[in-house]
Amino acid sequence: MGKISNGIERALLTRPVPTGTSALRFLMRSEKGSTRKVARLLGVSQRTVQRWVTKRPGARRTPGPLQVRAIEEAVLARWQPRIRARRRAQAEAEAEGFVFHTRARFGFAAPVGSSDDPRVRWITQDLPGEVAQELFAARDAGAGEQQQTVILARALGHSYFREWGRRAHEPASSSERVRVFSVVRL
C-alpha cells in the first residue's frame, strides 16, 4: 500500500485497527469463536489457530511474520465496515467533499535565495466530492500510487492555483515547477 492508500484508509476509520494479539481476538469474535473458520480465513490449520489462542502457557505459540500479515489484512478487511461506508459516502457527496493535506514544492526557476525560489509548503485544501469519487474509483480499480498522485495533483491545481476557473486561467508555464510529494493526510 502506498502513502495515498494509507491516508485514505486512515480517513475512513474512527478507531485504530487492532494489531498483535488483539487482532487475533477480534477475528475470533467476528467468526463467533470458531477456530475452524479463522483457520480457513488465514490459510492455516485449525490446530495452528488453537495453538495461537490457547490459554495454557506451555502450549501457546505466536504467529510467524507471514501469518501476522495475513491476520492484519483479514482484520483490516473486517474492521468498521458500516463506518467506512458512511465516511466514504460523505466524502463522495458533492456538498461534503474532503480535506486534503499535503506538502508541495512550487515556485519559479530562479536563483537560490530569491523569493521565487521553489520551496516546500504545507497545503490544506478542501476538495469536492467528485475528486473523492474519482480517487475511490481509481483505488478500487487497482490504480497505483502514481495514478492516484496524478488525480490529486490535478485537483489541487484546479482548486488551489486556479480556484476552479476564477483565476490563473492559463496552465502553468514550463518554468513553473509544481510537484506534489507523497505525504498525504485525508
Side-chain angles (χ1 to χ4, degrees), residues 97-113:
F98 66 98
V99 178
F100 177 59
H101 301 284
T102 188
R103 57 185 184 154
R105 178 183 304 274
F106 59 91
F108 297 94
V112 174

Side-chain angles (χ1 to χ4, degrees), residues 129-143:
E130 63 189 28
V131 176
Q133 289 172 357
E134 186 179 359
L135 191 60
F136 281 120
R139 186 186 72 146
D140 293 345

